[in-house]
Amino acid sequence: MRIRKTAAAGAMVLALAATATACGGESGTAGDKPAGGDVFSKDYKVAATPKIDSPVLKKAQAAKKLVIGVKADQPFLGFKDPGTDKYSGFDIEIAKMVAADLGFSTKQIQFKTIDSNVRETTISNGDVDYYVGTYTINDERKKQVGFAGPYYTAGADLLVRKDDKSITGPDALKGKKVCSITGSTPLQEIKKPKYGAKTTELGKYSDCVKVLLDGGVDAVTTDDAILKGYAAQRPEKLRVVGKPFTKEPYGIGMKKDDKALRDAITKALEDHIKNGDYKKAYEGTLGKSGSKYVAPETPLPRY
Ligand code: GLU
């Protein structure tokens, strides 16, 4: 079965979503563990307005507002609390640290939820000033956008139902139904014939998780950091297999030709890694869902 943006597929997702909500709760109700919104969050020291020859930054400074693209359905990484509409998680902290060095307080940030399949177009169109959302740096994407980082390295893994012992790693996927996300690198990987998996392609990770809980697929694949967040939400129902099979270095995405912005963001990342903000934020967010802390290598690459 391969679902992709058809009316029938939409109806099916809605039906499955309704089932999952009824029996488990959208985000941590009915006895589930914390939704992922209850994590470390801080306001960082705001620098005096820097003079940087960046068209994107100049526009943001004139508007006194920075628009940052993020994820909303990744607990402990980029998560929007449905009750308060507040965003939280590791990527949100990274976004705020960098914003502070560019002269913007948390209050001046407008977070915009942007899913994986529209990241490059959203960035190139100028609909966001930069993007922080589990965004793997690779050469193909570098043709369209610029990257600062890597500020973290994840790896594609598998999320399965807790009682399913048949999936022991990527080699055990022959004939299995695996869900992943349009426009993501783990989807491209899992489509390779060597895995022999039947792929289901959806727009949001949370939709894949709902279909998994409902039995519509056997596994969800994406970065381990993301999957651990879902498993931490529902430890009675889900587990991460724990055999990563790709490398996913995370970068902050921005307009391709804005080198001044790229350099400023790279420097901001390095400074917050050095002054300890990065580690504190990591331990209070991603660290809570079981991803081990590894200090990122500095200096970060510049190009
Ligand atoms: N890091 C992978 C990617 O950038 C998967 C996670 C995501 O879709 O954001 O495609």
Coordinates of all heavy atoms in Angstrom, one line a residue, residues 71 74 116 119 131 133-137 141 181-186 205 222-223 226 248 250, ligand 1:
K71 N 9.1 22.8 13.6 CA 8.1 21.7 13.6 C 7.2 21.9 14.8 O 7.6 22.5 15.8 CB 8.9 20.3 13.7 CG 9.7 20.0 12.5 CD 8.8 19.4 11.4 CE 9.5 19.2 10.1 NZ 10.7 18.3 10.2
Q74 N 6.9 17.3 17.1 CA 8.0 16.4 17.5 C 8.3 16.7 19.0 O 9.0 17.6 19.3 CB 9.2 16.7 16.6 CG 9.0 16.4 15.2 CD 10.2 16.9 14.3 OE1 11.0 17.7 14.7 NE2 10.2 16.3 13.1
S116 N 8.1 18.9 6.6 CA 9.3 18.6 5.9 C 9.2 18.9 4.3 O 10.2 19.3 3.7 CB 9.7 17.2 6.1 OG 10.0 16.9 7.5
R119 N 9.9 22.7 3.1 CA 10.9 23.5 3.7 C 11.7 24.3 2.7 O 11.9 25.5 2.9 CB 11.9 22.6 4.5 CG 11.4 22.1 5.8 CD 12.4 21.3 6.5 NE 12.6 20.0 6.0 CZ 13.0 18.9 6.7 NH1 13.1 19.0 8.0 NH2 13.2 17.8 6.1
Y131 N 15.2 28.5 9.5 CA 14.4 27.3 9.8 C 15.2 26.4 10.7 O 16.3 26.1 10.5 CB 14.1 26.5 8.5 CG 13.2 25.3 8.7 CD1 11.8 25.4 8.7 CD2 13.7 24.1 9.0 CE1 11.0 24.4 8.9 CE2 12.9 23.0 9.3 CZ 11.6 23.1 9.2 OH 10.8 22.1 9.5
G133 N 14.4 22.8 12.3 CA 13.4 21.7 12.5 C 14.0 20.4 12.0 O 13.6 19.9 10.9
T134 N 14.9 19.7 12.7 CA 15.4 18.4 12.4 C 15.8 18.3 10.9 O 15.5 17.4 10.2 CB 14.4 17.3 12.8 OG1 13.2 17.4 12.0 CG2 14.1 17.3 14.2
Y135 N 16.5 19.3 10.5 CA 16.7 19.5 9.0 C 18.1 19.0 8.6 O 19.1 19.7 8.9 CB 16.6 21.0 8.7 CG 16.4 21.4 7.3 CD1 16.0 20.5 6.3 CD2 16.5 22.8 6.9 CE1 15.8 20.9 5.0 CE2 16.2 23.2 5.6 CZ 15.9 22.2 4.7 OH 15.7 22.6 3.4
T136 N 18.2 17.9 8.0 CA 19.4 17.3 7.6 C 20.1 18.1 6.5 O 19.5 18.4 5.5 CB 19.2 15.9 7.1 OG1 18.7 15.1 8.2 CG2 20.5 15.2 6.6
I137 N 21.4 18.4 6.7 CA 22.2 19.1 5.7 C 22.6 18.0 4.7 O 23.2 17.0 5.1 CB 23.5 19.6 6.4 CG1 23.2 20.5 7.6 CG2 24.4 20.3 5.4 CD1 24.4 20.9 8.4
R141 N 20.0 19.4 -1.0 CA 19.3 20.6 -0.4 C 20.2 21.8 -0.5 O 19.6 22.9 -0.6 CB 19.0 20.3 1.1 CG 17.9 19.2 1.2 CD 17.6 18.8 2.6 NE 16.5 17.8 2.6 CZ 16.2 17.1 3.7 NH1 16.9 17.3 4.8 NH2 15.2 16.3 3.7
I181 N 7.8 10.3 5.9 CA 7.3 11.6 5.6 C 7.8 12.1 4.3 O 9.0 12.0 4.0 CB 7.7 12.5 6.7 CG1 7.1 12.1 8.0 CG2 7.4 14.0 6.4 CD1 5.6 12.0 7.9
T182 N 6.8 12.6 3.5 CA 7.2 13.2 2.2 C 8.2 14.3 2.4 O 8.1 15.1 3.3 CB 5.9 13.9 1.6 OG1 4.8 13.0 1.7 CG2 6.1 14.3 0.2
G183 N 9.3 14.2 1.6 CA 10.3 15.3 1.6 C 11.4 15.0 2.7 O 12.2 15.9 2.9
S184 N 11.4 13.8 3.3 CA 12.4 13.6 4.3 C 13.4 12.6 3.8 O 13.1 11.7 3.0 CB 11.7 13.0 5.6 OG 11.3 11.7 5.4
T185 N 14.6 12.7 4.4 CA 15.7 11.8 3.9 C 15.5 10.3 4.3 O 15.8 9.4 3.5 CB 17.1 12.3 4.5 OG1 16.9 12.7 5.9 CG2 17.5 13.5 3.7
P186 N 14.9 10.0 5.5 CA 14.7 8.6 5.8 C 13.7 8.0 4.9 O 13.7 6.7 4.6 CB 14.1 8.6 7.3 CG 14.7 9.9 7.8 CD 14.7 10.9 6.7
Y205 N 4.7 13.6 10.8 CA 5.1 12.4 11.6 C 4.1 11.9 12.5 O 3.9 10.7 12.7 CB 6.4 12.8 12.4 CG 7.6 12.8 11.5 CD1 8.2 14.0 11.1 CD2 8.1 11.6 11.0 CE1 9.2 14.0 10.2 CE2 9.2 11.6 10.1 CZ 9.7 12.8 9.7 OH 10.8 12.9 8.8
T222 N 12.2 7.5 10.9 CA 12.8 8.8 10.7 C 13.9 8.8 11.7 O 14.4 7.8 12.2 CB 11.8 9.9 10.9 OG1 12.4 11.2 10.6 CG2 11.2 10.0 12.4
D223 N 14.4 10.1 12.0 CA 15.5 10.2 12.9 C 15.2 9.6 14.3 O 14.2 9.9 14.9 CB 15.9 11.7 13.1 CG 16.2 12.3 11.7 OD1 16.4 11.6 10.7 OD2 16.1 13.5 11.6
I226 N 13.7 12.0 16.9 CA 12.3 12.2 16.8 C 11.5 11.0 17.4 O 10.6 11.2 18.2 CB 11.9 12.5 15.3 CG1 12.7 13.6 14.7 CG2 10.4 12.7 15.2 CD1 12.5 13.8 13.2
E248 N 22.3 11.8 10.1 CA 21.4 13.0 9.8 C 22.0 14.2 10.5 O 21.6 14.5 11.6 CB 20.0 12.7 10.2 CG 19.4 11.4 9.7 CD 19.1 11.4 8.2 OE1 18.9 12.5 7.6 OE2 19.1 10.3 7.6
Y250 N 22.1 17.8 11.6 CA 21.1 18.9 11.6 C 21.7 20.3 11.4 O 22.7 20.7 12.1 CB 20.3 18.9 12.9 CG 19.4 17.8 13.2 CD1 18.7 17.7 14.4 CD2 19.1 16.8 12.2 CE1 17.8 16.7 14.6 CE2 18.2 15.8 12.4 CZ 17.5 15.7 13.6 OH 16.7 14.7 13.9
Ligands
GLU1 N1 16.3 14.8 9.3 C1 15.5 14.3 8.3 C2 15.2 15.3 7.2 O1 15.7 16.4 7.3 C3 14.2 13.7 8.8 C4 13.4 14.6 9.8 C5 12.5 15.6 9.1 O2 11.8 15.2 8.2 O3 12.6 16.7 9.5 O4 14.6 14.9 6.2

